[in-house]
Amino acid sequence: MQVIPYKVRSIEDQAEKAPQSNQDEVIEGLRSELDNRSKELQVFSHAVAHDLQATLRGIDGYTNLFIRKYAYQLDDPGKRLLTKVTENVNKMQLQLQELDYLLKLGTIELHFSEMDMYALTTAVVESLQLSQVINVTVRKGTLVQGDASLIKEVLIKLISNAVKFSPEQMRSKIEIGCLEHGADDHFFVRDFGVGFDEAYKDVVFDIFQRLHDPEQYPGIGLGLATVKQIITRHGGQVWATGKENEGATFYFSLHTTTQTDGSS
Amino acid sequence: MDLANIIVVDNEPDDAELTIYGLKETNKSLRVMYFKTGHDALTYLFQETSQNQNVLSDLKLILLDLKIPKIDGIEILKRIREGEQTQNLPVVILTSSRERKDVLRAYTHGANSYVIKPVGFEKFVKAVSALAHYWTDLNVSPVQDFRANPNSKLH
């Protein structure tokens, strides 16, 4: 198992493009910039995790104390208004937790190993109790380089979305497959559910981007952003295709060769 | 003077008020003392100790936040563990921090427990009530036992 320091690979990619004489300088400059960005993110992440959550706790706490002590004086519409406050607090708490995690994903060390994507995918499908439902067409022995726990998370999020956005009778058509593409493998999760307007295919992985009614399809709006962050950290790409009421396919690419970690 | 059963150290008065509410959900007769700064908390624990040896005898728990300005929670914990009279006081870290490094630091410096403050009020009250019940009803405080009879063996 090999630990890849934060963003080293992309620094080395940029340095490779610089003139030979400047490469060390470029690398040093980029490292310094990344260190500064990393520190800024940590400060922001701490604020999100700690300070904002403390404020939320205050809002929820005092609202509930008010309900406990004075609810008997309120009519039902009044009580409903206060209940809405606590519901929104709970929602915001989840958003902050997910956002904090998304921020941390940008800086945590990756633990790379060779993974059999067929084995990983079937294990995930089984853990979600969908073995009898979903089709895994990834070829056995499809090996990639990656952090297994994070790629597992990618699969869980994409598969869960496919199930969520498919009517029950269409779930058996959900497919997880792979298209071999040279040094990369392009994995996909395909469903035949509600789909989305492909005009939005460039924003579907953005933070808090919701293309469907949240009351009908509940969620925080960070799942695909998390998928994108993880795959980007692996040097891969994400993209999606879809058609309203006909389904969607979400793709991610991973490197298949050991050249991704700098070793031969 | 009524001596504290529980000390709460937290620089956020709102959090402290909700904590005290939760503690008293379990037992309204609990005597809870609140300190906003590490300096005030340590002053109570150490200076009071020298004037009145029994000030710690009723103390069953210290609930300690981590992110306290000037003297932070870990520093307060370290000084508690260094004091001859205070080194065995039960200290539970009650914090918003989920950082692994904070968890490790707390236990390394002698925290008895590490509890992450839930955001939701009901869960928060439940968590704090559970702490109060365990540490004041179930647990035998080593300080209290020592004070009662320094030479006795614990049963």
Side-chain angles (χ1 to χ4, degrees):
Chain A
M1 198 188 301
Q2 185 167 5
V3 175
I4 307 294
Y6 167 57
K7 290 280 190 181
V8 166
R9 229 185 289 113
S10 52
I11 289 173
E12 288 172 348
D13 286 343
Q14 291 192 51
E16 276 172 15
K17 292 172 189 161
Q20 190 73 31
S21 54
N22 286 353
Q23 281 188 2
D24 287 343
E25 249 177 65
V26 169
I27 288 174
E28 201 42 53
L30 287 169
R31 279 189 204 275
S32 174
E33 188 183 331
L34 277 168
D35 278 343
N36 290 336
R37 296 285 172 91
S38 177
K39 281 171 190 158
E40 283 170 13
L41 269 174
Q42 281 176 27
V43 168
F44 182 67
S45 179
H46 173 75
V48 164
H50 183 263
D51 301 313
L52 294 179
Q53 300 232 18
T55 306
L56 273 184
R57 189 167 38 251
I59 295 170
D60 195 52
Y62 286 108
T63 304
N64 274 278
L65 281 177
F66 181 88
I67 292 172
R68 284 190 179 195
K69 291 186 178 180
Y70 301 109
Y72 70 94
Q73 296 188 34
L74 296 173
D75 56 12
D76 284 343
K79 288 177 196 168
R80 181 189 162 272
L81 290 176
L82 288 175
T83 304
K84 279 291 179 189
V85 173
T86 58
E87 280 176 12
N88 276 277
V89 164
N90 291 336
K91 183 178 165 187
M92 190 163 179
Q93 187 212 348
L94 287 172
Q95 287 173 323
L96 287 176
Q97 278 179 3
E98 293 287 312
L99 197 54
D100 183 45
Y101 177 62
L102 186 63
L103 289 171
K104 284 191 167 69
L105 277 176
T107 57
I108 58 170
E109 286 185 2
L110 302 184
H111 296 270
F112 268 57
S113 61
E114 196 170 66
M115 302 181 298
D116 181 338
M117 282 298 284
Y118 170 79
L120 186 65
T121 305
T122 49
V124 166
V125 169
E126 210 169 295
S127 71
L128 295 172
Q129 298 181 323
L130 295 168
S131 301
Q132 306 304 318
V133 178
I134 285 179
N135 306 298
V136 177
T137 58
V138 177
R139 186 176 51 84
K140 280 186 188 177
T142 301
L143 301 177
V144 297
Q145 291 287 322
D147 184 312
S149 65
L150 291 179
I151 298 303
K152 184 178 166 185
E153 191 174 335
V154 165
L155 289 168
I156 289 172
K157 286 194 180 327
L158 292 179
I159 295 168
S160 300
N161 269 0
V163 171
K164 182 164 81 174
F165 289 101
S166 296
E168 199 164 336
Q169 67 274 18
M170 300 303 283
R171 286 176 188 168
S172 61
K173 292 183 181 289
I174 294 172
E175 180 191 354
I176 307 158
C178 174
L179 306 166
E180 291 171 33
H181 205 263
D184 292 346
D185 276 339
H186 295 177
F187 298 91
F188 64 85
V189 177
R190 176 173 294 139
D191 68 72
F192 295 87
V194 297
F196 65 93
D197 182 347
E198 209 166 276
Y200 297 102
K201 66 181 171 65
D202 293 329
V203 300
V204 71
F205 290 95
D206 287 353
I207 294 174
F208 295 133
Q209 194 59 241
R210 305 297 309 275
L211 298 180
H212 301 90
D213 179 6
E215 296 220 346
Q216 203 176 353
Y217 303 101
I220 301 298
L222 283 168
L224 290 177
T226 303
V227 164
K228 181 179 176 182
Q229 177 72 294
I230 291 171
I231 298 300
T232 303
R233 287 292 316 277
H234 281 74
Q237 291 185 313
V238 295
W239 65 102
T241 59
K243 206 164 180 187
E244 280 184 302
N245 301 314
E246 289 188 21
T249 304
F250 289 85
Y251 298 87
F252 62 94
S253 64
L254 291 170
H255 298 310
T256 56
T257 67
T258 54
Q259 288 166 6
T260 57
D261 59 10
S263 60
S264 54
Chain B
M1 178 179 76
D2 280 340
L3 301 175
N5 301 132
I6 300 178
I7 285 176
V8 173
V9 190
D10 195 322
N11 68 308
E12 291 282 351
D14 289 351
D15 266 0
E17 181 173 355
L18 296 173
T19 301
I20 293 167
Y21 178 89
L23 292 171
K24 296 211 171 194
E25 280 274 289
T26 300
N27 182 350
K28 292 200 183 335
S29 65
L30 278 175
R31 297 185 298 278
V32 183
M33 206 167 273
Y34 164 54
F35 298 100
K36 199 175 170 187
T37 68
H39 175 263
D40 291 345
L42 292 168
T43 300
Y44 174 81
L45 287 170
F46 288 98
Q47 289 188 19
E48 289 281 351
T49 304
S50 63
Q51 292 163 18
N52 181 352
Q53 289 291 314
N54 292 325
V55 70
L56 300 178
S57 61
D58 282 0
L59 188 57
K60 299 189 178 186
L61 175 65
I62 299 172
L63 288 175
L64 181 56
D65 192 11
L66 282 184
K67 311 293 182 187
I68 302 175
K70 294 185 183 170
I71 308 176
D72 72 4
I74 295 295
E75 184 58 36
I76 298 168
L77 177 61
K78 278 162 71 175
R79 295 192 199 181
I80 290 171
R81 289 291 174 252
E82 285 165 1
E84 193 186 329
Q85 309 297 330
T86 60
Q87 61 184 307
N88 291 321
L89 286 171
V91 178
V92 169
I93 304 298
L94 183 63
T95 175
S96 301
S97 174
R98 295 169 187 273
E99 300 290 321
R100 184 168 166 73
K101 63 176 171 58
D102 287 335
V103 177
L104 291 174
R105 284 174 73 212
Y107 280 112
T108 301
H109 292 290
N112 296 87
S113 177
Y114 189 104
V115 175
I116 296 171
K117 294 175 185 172
V119 170
F121 175 72
E122 297 294 339
K123 282 187 180 172
F124 183 81
V125 169
K126 258 189 186 169
V128 171
S129 296
L131 288 174
H133 175 59
Y134 177 79
W135 290 100
T136 67
D137 292 338
L138 300 178
N139 187 61
V140 175
S141 164
V143 173
Q144 185 174 13
D145 200 55
F146 172 77
R147 286 282 164 225
N149 186 349
N151 298 316
S152 72
K153 289 180 185 171
L154 288 171
H155 296 287

